[in-house]
Amino acid sequence: MKKSFKLYAACWAILLALFNVICFVTPDSAAGMNKFGGAFWAGYAFITAAFIGQLVCAYIALKGENLAKTFLNLPLITISYSATVLTVIVGALCMAIPDLPDWVAIIVCACILGFSAISLIKASGAAQAVADVDEKIKAKTAFIKIAAKEAENIFARAQTLQAANALQIKEECKKVCEALKYGDPMSAPALEEIEREIDNGLKQLKQAVIASDGEKVAAVSTELLLNVKERNGKCKALK
């Protein structure tokens, strides 16, 4: 985020400097009209405010907590870049035309600010909606991911056993591991009870593996496989 914002800030500073050069280096008067009269200072104030606003918008867009949110906010950066460049062009014209009426510069600058703000709000809302959906999906898939990881850990523990029935225990743990690995990733409130049973089953399986209790491992494994199958069926029915 810091690197991206620094790059944006560098471009922003260049455009702001360019704008000020156009404002103050161009001739003060032409055809008897003073550049610093009319809309000059009103336009200068509005356009400078627009510059500051675009910088703030870019900072907000790039401060995503993770790469996914930053990626979703990229349209905000494009809009901000475009609005800043447009501000320079329009602002330069307002500053360069001597004795341009105040209201012309104010209306033009206000329109730029208004349209860019609306575009930024719309893009931000769309990005937030996608991010919210992504967060919901992560929450719904959390159980199966955690359960599958726990099954992997139990299987890894079983592979270190030296008992006579170690091979049998390994095979049972492998079945559970694969069943959870390829289980339906989605979850729902209606699955809480069966997921609680699977969680308890994994705890029992771990204790049975630690004790090298082959019979217990086989019994718990069978029950776990049935519960995982039942959960998959309920998941399918809920879709």
Side-chain angles (χ1 to χ4, degrees), residues 5 8 51-61:
F5 182 71
Y8 179 91
F51 267 102
I52 296 172
Q54 298 302 340
L55 185 65
V56 172
C57 289
Y59 177 79
I60 293 172

Side-chain angles (χ1 to χ4, degrees), residues 24 40 49 90 102 172 201 215 220 222 231:
F24 297 105
F40 183 88
V90 175
D102 287 351
E172 294 294 337
E215 291 186 4
V220 175
T222 299
R231 179 186 178 280

